[in-house]
Amino acid sequence: MKNGPVRGPRAQVREFSPRRAPSGRCGGIPAEVYPGRPGPRPVDDDAALHVALRLKALADPVRVRLISLLLAEPDTGRTGGDLAAAVGLSESTVGHHLTQLRKAGFIDSERHGMSVVHQARREALTALCTVLDPNCCR
């Protein structure tokens, strides 16, 4: 058996969207994995896959910085150009990272004229924390 990244359709980052998330889900993670209500329960395989894919999207220092910058301005958001200047990378590189964060459900992007404004989805981070630690965010 080879060591390396997992290949196949289950290893791909799936896009999570509040508009497309089925009812009973919070931030794209199934509601039944939230153990704080009524008692702690371990996550099932499907929920563990959702969490792993989200953690994979955050496993890059640039993406962590981008999320941090967006969380610092939750009401206004920031454009790709602003974020590129803040992290010292090209707009195309930052655009790639933002796409990965959007697919994982951590940010929303909305076009405003010629610009695209990106905002962090705090509820997605809260959902991730709640799955990992049932006593978090109570």
Side-chain angles (χ1 to χ4, degrees), residues 13-128:
V13 175
R14 297 178 188 153
E15 186 168 347
F16 296 102
S17 169
R19 293 172 292 281
R20 293 179 12 184
S23 61
R25 291 181 177 265
C26 178
I29 299 173
E32 60 272 10
V33 303
Y34 295 105
R37 299 150 204 110
R41 293 177 293 183
V43 296
D44 62 17
D45 289 342
D46 191 47
L49 177 63
H50 284 289
V51 171
L53 291 173
R54 286 205 169 169
L55 290 173
K56 182 178 177 181
L58 285 177
D60 186 294
V62 172
R63 293 181 196 156
V64 172
R65 286 192 63 205
L66 292 171
I67 284 286
S68 177
L69 288 165
L70 291 172
L71 286 170
E73 298 184 32
D75 297 329
T76 60
R78 293 181 76 163
T79 65
D82 292 341
L83 292 167
V87 296
L89 296 171
S90 70
E91 286 189 43
S92 62
T93 300
V94 169
H96 165 74
H97 288 296
L98 291 171
T99 298
Q100 296 305 310
L101 290 170
R102 188 173 33 264
K103 284 181 179 179
F106 287 119
I107 66 170
D108 282 327
S109 302
E110 187 174 322
R111 181 167 292 283
H112 289 237
M114 296 292 289
S115 301
V116 178
V117 177
H118 308 279
Q119 290 183 299
R121 293 186 59 227
R122 188 173 300 277
E123 68 274 7
L125 290 170
T126 303
L128 185 62

